[in-house]
Amino acid sequence: MPQAPFVPVIPAGGAGTRLWPLSRRARPKFLLDLTGEGRSLLQGTLARLAPLADRPPIVVTGAAHEAAVREQLASHSGVRVVGEPSPRDSMPAIALAAALVEREDPTAVIGSFAADHLIGDQAAFREAVRLAREAAELGYLVTLGITPTHPATGFGYIEQSAEEESPGAGAGAGAADAGAAADAGAHALPRGVRPVARFVEKPERERAERFLTTGRFLWNAGMFVVRASVLLDELAAQIPPLARGAREIAAAHGTPEQAEVLERVWPHLTAIAIDHALAEPLAAAGRVAVVPSSFGWDDVGDFAALARQLRERPAPAGVEGSEDRGGGDVRVLGSAAVDAVSSRATVYGATDRHIALVGLDGISIVDTEDALLVLADEQAQDLSALVARLERRGLGHLR
Amino acid sequence: MPQAPFVPVIPAGGAGTRLWPLSRRARPKFLLDLTGEGRSLLQGTLARLAPLADRPPIVVTGAAHEAAVREQLASHSGVRVVGEPSPRDSMPAIALAAALVEREDPTAVIGSFAADHLIGDQAAFREAVRLAREAAELGYLVTLGITPTHPATGFGYIEQSAEEESPGAGAGAGAADAGAAADAGAHALPRGVRPVARFVEKPERERAERFLTTGRFLWNAGMFVVRASVLLDELAAQIPPLARGAREIAAAHGTPEQAEVLERVWPHLTAIAIDHALAEPLAAAGRVAVVPSSFGWDDVGDFAALARQLRERPAPAGVEGSEDRGGGDVRVLGSAAVDAVSSRATVYGATDRHIALVGLDGISIVDTEDALLVLADEQAQDLSALVARLERRGLGHLR
């Protein structure tokens, strides 16, 4: 069992343009109730992680969303919300949270999980986190990798090391060194945790298919479990000013200088994703481990994913099959009254208009006060092109 | 050339539930601009007929729509608008118009044309009306029949008599008699006009296909050209109180008793369609003739028909192909700003919302303030089932 205290970290950011006009710049995906369960993705994420926390979880979000986040989390006592003065990608956000945790307890392990993903099997998720914490206490950067169910081209992949290879290790070690693999015997990974060979960016279709046939590749769900001090020490070796800046902000946290230091230091932190800053170089050094997982993960990246989610789950209150005498299946999220004939569709109704559907198959409809989207689920990924040109068409206020 | 004065009659009625929510009870199809030409179907119908009129055309409409009709026709001097106190189907409306015309000139010929149909080739239409007037002056009830382009199941059909059969005739004759066919020689139909054997209600698909193979069947477009006095005399033989009532109301028209007589007599007129009241029995008696026509007629009966119309016509101002970089084809009717990716669709935008489409094929979208419809064109006929149950669902106000 893990020994070190565990602190969940939840970076709450991301535009989510492929869920427009449901998600907007001012109302990003993590603030939305996309499951009809009566809570936002952020609230669901916190509900999942809070029971695992030995110290209050930390939510890091953009200054623009800080008030909305605090309001949604008002009923969670003890959650810490940290506002980023400006978006600097995921590494500075996680590094700052790690520095805050390290200051309280240098032995603590953090687990960073996106605020806007869905997880089906909660017990399996908790078990995976438990394994990851054990490996993190050995000094690894540990990720939860999702066993692929299809050759997705929208996710990055994690390649596990071939069966016989020994991983590197390095509890308490400083900068990584391939030679550290010699110590691996002393830090044998727990059963169910595997060494990582490398991270791979989103592949083309054929490459994704080859990945699946090897059995070694997992989806990169952006979940990282690591000792706070390991993260910062490794970061100090890779990008020294970033680690130094995060620790400087954390040191001032709670003091009269907090705001001044944050405003002064934050804008100079390197804007970079944790994958590039840490995961890729550490994997090359044999210092990353993965927990292969099958707990039903979805990043709800577009309307096709959302429709799939709503169809697969048992319909909770708020998601209704509408009265459809034509033998269809319509899922409704929101307050809209929907009536349908022979339709398989998903409706996100944010207005009080009556919505009528006839003969649809695999269509998503988003009905909001200022914008209406009608989309064929199988071309859901093409939405971002359309959202991108709103600005050029003088419709930036709709984003 | 026709000798008798010609008076167009335009019955403006009909619910048009298969164009809901564009058409509503309070705003029926004939009041709508469905072509983007900047005028309603009623205005287009009047513009087509007014140049043919020797006396002011007569529009007969429900009391509920009288004000809207007068407003739309304000720029047409001399049009007569007659309000029906209650809907009694087409025969009382046309009989009343015929009686008004008969009172002015017993020799006059009326031509009755629905207010909400579209006609493509105006010159061909005028030529067909000219032929119909010549036949009407011989005492026939004359209809314009549309040469079918496909085995439609949504229209009634007109069967022409087999080539060698002689038609009956009867200029000035009273009640029809099959024996009158002996006089046919004296009233030979003009070239291009054919005797009618019978009218057939909307057929099943297979039957419609058989119709087309014979070459004898035409679509019934509900267009009738007939001497006013012939219509009323024949009606007096079929349904005496209906002819008598229409003539009684017409006699009081323009006198101080007008309103009193209308209110007293109208509710007792037999509610019946002209097809059943006159066309079918007179066809059986050999007293109906047809002008086979190919002037591009459409009753715009549902959204599939409307989409077809908008696609086939050269796009006038108000109907735009949207900016679509995916190679699609989107037609927009109304004020809506539409942006699309890879979509073939038709949008009727009655709000100022931005409308975005992705990956659609053969979809119609109607965006109004209180109701939204998304419909697959190929199932357009199923819409009426949905509209019919609005009442049951407590949504009668949306009809």
Side-chain angles (χ1 to χ4, degrees):
Chain A
M1 293 300 293
Q3 307 294 318
F6 181 67
V7 187
V9 171
I10 305 174
T17 57
R18 281 177 301 163
L19 290 177
W20 179 91
L22 205 56
S23 68
R24 308 281 181 112
R25 260 197 294 242
R27 199 180 59 212
K29 181 180 146 202
F30 60 82
L31 292 175
L32 304 177
D33 173 10
L34 291 184
T35 60
E37 290 168 330
R39 62 185 188 187
S40 70
L41 294 178
L42 170 63
Q43 288 170 323
T45 301
L46 193 67
R48 179 162 57 244
L49 292 170
L52 309 181
D54 296 308
R55 294 174 183 277
I58 299 174
V59 178
V60 189
T61 192
H65 307 307
E66 199 178 328
V69 166
R70 285 188 192 280
E71 193 185 323
Q72 284 204 351
L73 302 184
S75 65
H76 286 268
S77 59
V79 175
R80 291 175 279 185
V81 178
V82 177
E84 304 168 304
S86 60
R88 312 293 295 159
D89 215 329
S90 61
M91 191 68 257
I94 297 170
L96 173 54
L100 290 169
V101 170
E102 181 194 45
R103 201 184 57 158
E104 289 178 349
D105 184 344
T107 72
V109 168
I110 64 164
S112 174
F113 305 91
D116 56 2
H117 294 178
L118 287 174
I119 282 168
D121 182 341
Q122 306 299 318
F125 173 75
R126 285 192 296 270
E127 172 59 15
V129 171
R130 189 188 64 75
L131 281 172
R133 289 172 61 183
E134 287 189 15
E137 289 183 16
L138 299 177
Y140 288 90
L141 174 64
V142 190
T143 182
L144 311 194
I146 313 298
T147 305
T149 54
H150 62 277
T153 57
F155 304 138
Y157 282 73
I158 300 164
E159 184 179 13
Q160 302 172 61
S161 299
E163 205 59 47
E164 301 309 315
E165 240 174 74
S166 275
D177 175 4
D183 291 309
H187 306 294
L189 285 169
R191 198 186 173 81
V193 188
R194 300 278 309 141
V196 167
R198 60 176 175 139
F199 288 79
V200 185
E201 307 248 7
K202 297 175 186 176
E204 297 293 314
R205 179 83 187 184
E206 278 184 25
R207 196 165 175 229
E209 285 168 357
R210 285 200 306 277
F211 285 177
L212 261 66
T213 60
T214 69
R216 283 205 311 277
F217 286 82
L218 302 164
W219 288 336
N220 178 2
M223 301 172 175
F224 292 100
V225 178
V226 62
R227 218 188 267 276
S229 58
V230 168
L231 179 141
L232 288 162
D233 289 347
E234 298 290 353
L235 187 59
Q238 301 288 337
I239 309 175
L242 181 43
R244 196 163 53 238
R247 281 172 163 151
E248 184 178 353
I249 294 170
H253 200 78
T255 75
E257 287 74 41
Q258 172 173 332
E260 182 271 316
V261 174
L262 182 67
E263 296 296 330
R264 174 169 52 77
V265 175
W266 183 268
H268 301 290
L269 299 186
T270 311
I272 188 171
I274 186 172
D275 298 76
H276 303 313
L278 276 188
E280 289 165 7
L282 291 195
R287 302 174 54 76
V288 178
V290 63
V291 182
S293 304
S294 301
F295 41 64
W297 167 82
D298 201 315
D299 75 342
V300 209
D302 61 23
F303 281 111
L306 188 45
R308 211 165 45 233
Q309 276 293 327
L310 291 174
R311 241 155 254 291
E312 283 174 5
R313 298 178 157 221
V319 181
E320 301 171 9
S322 77
E323 178 188 347
D324 189 335
R325 317 200 170 179
D329 178 9
V330 175
R331 298 299 174 108
V332 180
L333 202 58
S335 56
V338 178
D339 191 18
V341 175
S342 310
S343 289
R344 199 176 61 82
T346 318
V347 177
Y348 311 90
T351 75
D352 56 1
R353 302 194 309 162
H354 181 71
I355 299 178
L357 312 177
V358 177
L360 304 183
D361 188 17
I363 300 284
S364 287
I365 294 155
V366 184
D367 180 45
T368 76
E369 291 296 344
D370 56 0
L372 167 67
L373 171 70
V374 183
L375 166 144
D377 291 341
E378 63 182 21
Q379 286 182 247
Q381 70 285 358
D382 293 345
L383 176 60
S384 46
L386 195 147
V387 175
R389 66 190 192 222
L390 282 175
E391 223 85 44
R392 283 203 307 280
R393 299 178 55 131
L395 297 165
H397 59 284
L398 294 177
R399 286 195 64 177
Chain B
M1 293 300 291
Q3 307 295 318
F6 181 67
V7 187
V9 171
I10 305 174
T17 57
R18 282 176 302 165
L19 289 177
W20 180 91
L22 205 56
S23 68
R24 308 281 181 111
R25 260 197 295 241
R27 199 179 61 214
K29 181 180 148 202
F30 60 82
L31 292 175
L32 304 177
D33 174 9
L34 292 184
T35 61
E37 290 169 329
R39 62 183 187 187
S40 70
L41 294 178
L42 171 64
Q43 288 170 323
T45 301
L46 194 67
R48 179 161 58 244
L49 292 170
L52 309 182
D54 297 308
R55 295 175 183 279
I58 298 174
V59 177
V60 189
T61 193
H65 307 308
E66 200 178 328
V69 166
R70 285 187 192 281
E71 193 185 325
Q72 285 204 351
L73 303 184
S75 65
H76 287 269
S77 59
V79 174
R80 291 175 279 185
V81 178
V82 177
E84 305 167 303
S86 60
R88 312 292 297 160
D89 215 327
S90 60
M91 190 69 255
I94 297 171
L96 173 53
L100 289 169
V101 170
E102 181 194 45
R103 201 184 57 158
E104 289 178 349
D105 183 342
T107 72
V109 167
I110 64 166
S112 175
F113 305 92
D116 55 3
H117 294 178
L118 288 174
I119 282 168
D121 183 341
Q122 306 298 319
F125 173 75
R126 285 193 296 271
E127 173 58 16
V129 171
R130 188 187 66 73
L131 280 173
R133 287 172 62 184
E134 287 187 14
E137 291 183 16
L138 300 177
Y140 288 90
L141 174 65
V142 189
T143 182
L144 309 195
I146 313 299
T147 306
T149 55
H150 62 275
T153 56
F155 304 140
Y157 283 73
I158 300 165
E159 185 181 11
Q160 304 171 61
S161 298
E163 205 59 48
E164 301 310 316
E165 243 174 70
S166 273
D177 175 6
D183 289 310
H187 306 294
L189 285 168
R191 200 184 172 81
V193 188
R194 300 276 311 140
V196 167
R198 60 177 176 137
F199 288 79
V200 185
E201 307 249 7
K202 299 175 185 175
E204 297 292 314
R205 180 81 186 186
E206 279 184 26
R207 195 162 175 231
E209 285 168 357
R210 284 201 307 276
F211 285 177
L212 261 67
T213 61
T214 70
R216 284 204 311 276
F217 285 82
L218 303 163
W219 287 336
N220 179 2
M223 301 173 175
F224 292 100
V225 178
V226 62
R227 219 188 265 279
S229 58
V230 168
L231 180 141
L232 289 163
D233 290 345
E234 298 290 355
L235 187 60
Q238 301 288 337
I239 309 175
L242 180 43
R244 196 164 54 236
R247 280 172 163 151
E248 183 179 354
I249 294 170
H253 201 77
T255 74
E257 287 73 40
Q258 173 174 333
E260 182 270 317
V261 174
L262 182 66
E263 296 297 331
R264 174 169 52 77
V265 176
W266 183 268
H268 301 290
L269 299 185
T270 312
I272 188 171
I274 185 172
D275 298 76
H276 302 313
L278 275 188
E280 289 166 7
L282 291 194
R287 302 174 53 78
V288 179
V290 63
V291 182
S293 304
S294 301
F295 41 62
W297 167 83
D298 202 316
D299 76 340
V300 210
D302 60 25
F303 281 111
L306 188 46
R308 210 164 46 231
Q309 276 295 325
L310 292 172
R311 243 156 251 290
E312 284 174 4
R313 298 179 154 220
V319 181
E320 301 171 10
S322 77
E323 178 189 345
D324 189 337
R325 316 201 168 175
D329 179 8
V330 175
R331 299 299 174 106
V332 180
L333 202 59
S335 56
V338 177
D339 191 17
V341 175
S342 309
S343 289
R344 198 175 62 82
T346 318
V347 177
Y348 311 90
T351 76
D352 57 1
R353 302 194 308 163
H354 181 71
I355 299 179
L357 312 177
V358 177
L360 303 184
D361 187 15
I363 299 284
S364 288
I365 295 155
V366 183
D367 180 44
T368 76
E369 291 297 344
D370 57 0
L372 166 67
L373 171 71
V374 183
L375 166 144
D377 292 342
E378 61 182 23
Q379 285 182 247
Q381 70 283 359
D382 293 344
L383 177 59
S384 45
L386 194 147
V387 175
R389 66 189 192 223
L390 283 174
E391 223 84 43
R392 283 204 305 281
R393 297 178 56 130
L395 296 166
H397 60 284
L398 293 177
R399 286 196 63 177

